[in-house]
Amino acid sequence: PALSPTMTEGTLAKWVKKEGDRINSGDVIAEIETDKATMEVEAVDEGIMGKILIPEGSEGVPVNQLIALLLEDGEDKGTLVGYKSSSPPEGEKSSASRRGEAQDVGGKTASPVPSASTPASGNGQRVTGSEQRIFASPLAKRIAAQEGVNLSSVNGTGPHGRIIRADVEEAGASGGARRAPATGYGRNPQEYTEIPNSGMRKTIAKRLLESKQQIPHFYLTVDCRIDALNDARQRINDAAPKNKEGKPAYKVSLNDMVIKAVAMGLREIPAANASWTDSAIRQFNNVDVSVAVALDGGLITPIVKNADGKTLSTISAEMKSLIARARDGKLQPEEYQGGGFSLSNLGMYGIKSFSAIINPPQGCILAVGAGEERVISEGGQFVATQFMSCTLSCDHRVVDGAVGAEFLAAFRRYIEDPVMMLV
């Protein structure tokens, strides 16, 4: 099934049911990876799982592709002998098929055929002649480099044997995969490592390329003084009620307060909460803020809906839930599709300022940098204070310079006088 309006193909990540299992209507039979999340597929009919046509791990499976056959009551599995599905095009076959696993040919089982992509073992490696490739996520590679973990000795538990962060951390904790101390510098015989593009990465590339090519971007930057914001955040968290274990009911982050300030600014300047269509500018009646969340190998923008009407503690709890489910691939399409305005915060990475690419069809995205201490002249005295740089990217078809400036002025008022967000 198509699990989102833009989905054209997916990866059959896992079969929950196997051949011979009884299937009832509503049972989860498989897990499908889309470009944004992993979704469960439920059976719409009942019967016996007679034959699986698309093996687990198959990539590039088109929407509406036949993936399995059910037997009705009274039907025998023998009726499926000789039934063959159309093979997916080369490049869309499963990793199992590409490895040359035994195929049923004329009722006989053929021997596995060695191929260039035959894996060495379950450690995420594939050997091509004398070349060894280690399949690991970028985060896993970075942690391995920092901790001195030899990836060639790590067993991957991710999709298709890919090494993920947890595998590296476990290997590092056990001490069994530590790299021997380097005795000198030398070239790696493997000049590069190819990391296959996931469906998410392909979608990001396509949408952002279209955004930069088709949307006339312009940028406005404002510096916000955040001393009062930091003080308010500290007081809010100190006032949080605690349970018997002493755990606070909420812990508001700086990003939660920025989301609220954005929402209040959009309520005040609704012309910035809009998108472009060929026939009209579509101005949204609700303030739904999309927040960029980094994932292993990509990003996603879950939505805080009606953010202008929610308390800071509610926004904080909602964002924690959205982030956790986003990183587990459990978001529902309605939780990340839509939104009228986007927010991207790289301040926690120490980035002072940056310009973000608009997330179409939205008209604006706000890029938030890190807070930094600056010395300014105030009342004839030099004073150390905290500032944060924020850059608004605007679609000039939707938002003119004056509208963008008015929004940033409203946003800065809420940041510099956070009490106004509570009114």
Side-chain angles (χ1 to χ4, degrees):
L3 301 177
S4 72
T6 59
M7 180 178 173
T8 58
E9 62 180 31
T11 297
L12 206 159
K14 177 183 178 182
W15 278 107
V16 177
K17 299 291 187 179
K18 60 182 183 295
E19 291 185 5
D21 285 355
R22 178 74 191 180
I23 308 293
N24 295 312
S25 179
D27 285 354
V28 175
I29 59 172
E31 293 181 359
I32 302 292
E33 290 181 7
T34 69
D35 56 349
K36 294 291 186 181
T38 300
M39 310 289 289
E40 294 178 337
V41 176
E42 297 181 356
V44 296
D45 295 307
E46 58 183 33
I48 304 295
M49 181 71 83
K51 189 177 183 67
I52 291 175
L53 303 176
I54 301 296
E56 189 172 283
S58 295
E59 301 173 358
V61 182
V63 166
N64 294 326
Q65 170 81 21
L66 189 63
I67 61 174
L69 299 175
L70 292 183
L71 294 169
E72 294 182 349
D73 290 338
E75 287 186 324
D76 185 82
K77 189 174 181 179
T79 60
L80 302 180
V81 173
Y83 185 93
K84 293 182 179 179
S85 64
S86 57
S87 299
E90 189 65 33
E92 294 182 351
K93 295 182 180 179
S94 69
S95 55
S97 299
R98 290 196 300 269
R99 290 197 297 263
E101 289 184 351
Q103 303 294 320
D104 185 42
V105 182
K108 298 181 180 180
T109 301
S111 300
V113 180
S115 69
S117 57
T118 302
S121 63
N123 64 350
Q125 299 182 44
R126 295 181 184 176
V127 179
T128 306
S130 60
E131 178 186 287
Q132 186 182 66
R133 296 174 59 193
I134 298 176
F135 286 80
S137 71
L139 180 59
K141 291 178 181 178
R142 186 163 67 249
I143 294 175
Q146 294 171 349
E147 301 296 327
V149 174
N150 188 351
L151 288 178
S152 63
S153 302
V154 178
N155 290 323
T157 60
H160 317 304
R162 194 182 193 201
I163 298 170
I164 59 177
R165 173 182 181 176
D167 302 326
V168 177
E169 291 176 341
E170 182 179 351
S174 66
R178 292 286 180 182
R179 187 183 294 112
T183 57
Y185 295 97
R187 282 182 62 79
N188 190 324
Q190 182 180 337
E191 293 293 338
Y192 58 85
T193 299
E194 286 190 348
I195 302 171
N197 292 325
S198 64
M200 176 182 290
R201 179 54 60 188
K202 291 176 182 177
T203 298
I204 291 171
K206 179 181 177 182
R207 286 174 58 82
L208 297 187
L209 179 62
E210 290 175 352
S211 177
K212 288 295 285 184
Q213 287 179 332
Q214 299 175 14
I215 295 178
H217 287 60
F218 76 92
Y219 309 95
L220 302 171
T221 300
V222 66
D223 289 338
C224 301
R225 191 170 178 176
I226 58 173
D227 299 270
L229 191 72
N230 287 328
D231 290 343
R233 174 176 173 264
Q234 185 65 51
R235 293 177 63 186
I236 289 170
N237 289 335
D238 288 345
K242 295 177 175 59
N243 59 19
K244 295 179 179 179
E245 289 76 29
K247 185 177 180 180
Y250 53 81
K251 187 175 182 180
V252 174
S253 70
L254 189 67
N255 195 57
D256 298 329
M257 302 187 77
V258 171
I259 293 170
K260 179 69 173 180
V262 165
M264 298 299 289
L266 290 174
R267 179 200 283 181
E268 188 173 326
I269 311 295
N273 187 24
S275 67
W276 172 264
T277 71
D278 289 336
S279 59
I281 291 176
R282 183 173 295 163
Q283 193 171 112
F284 300 106
N285 296 323
N286 298 305
V287 179
D288 298 337
V289 181
S290 302
V291 183
V293 173
L295 304 178
D296 190 6
L299 60 86
I300 195 168
T301 51
I303 303 167
V304 180
K305 297 184 178 180
N306 299 112
D308 57 323
K310 291 179 176 176
T311 63
L312 287 168
S313 59
T314 300
I315 291 174
S316 178
E318 193 169 317
M319 276 306 304
K320 286 181 175 63
S321 174
L322 288 169
I323 290 171
R325 287 184 291 115
R327 290 176 176 165
D328 290 339
K330 300 299 183 182
L331 285 180
Q332 298 300 310
E334 63 271 15
E335 292 179 305
Y336 59 82
Q337 292 176 356
F341 186 103
S342 284
L343 170 66
S344 180
N345 188 346
L346 293 180
M348 65 282 290
Y349 296 100
I351 302 301
K352 179 181 176 180
S353 65
F354 66 105
S355 300
I357 301 174
I358 294 170
N359 181 23
Q362 296 175 4
C364 294
I365 182 170
L366 184 67
V368 178
E372 64 171 357
E373 190 172 66
R374 302 179 191 174
V375 176
I376 64 172
S377 176
E378 188 174 68
Q381 301 290 327
F382 288 111
V383 178
T385 187
Q386 291 281 326
F387 277 91
M388 175 178 72
S389 293
C390 301
T391 299
L392 181 68
S393 303
C394 303
D395 180 347
H396 214 323
R397 299 171 302 176
V398 182
V399 176
D400 294 328
V403 173
E406 289 171 355
F407 166 77
L408 282 180
F411 168 76
R412 182 167 60 182
R413 283 198 301 272
Y414 289 111
I415 289 292
E416 295 187 346
D417 191 5
V419 173
M420 298 301 296
M421 288 192 281
L422 307 178
V423 176

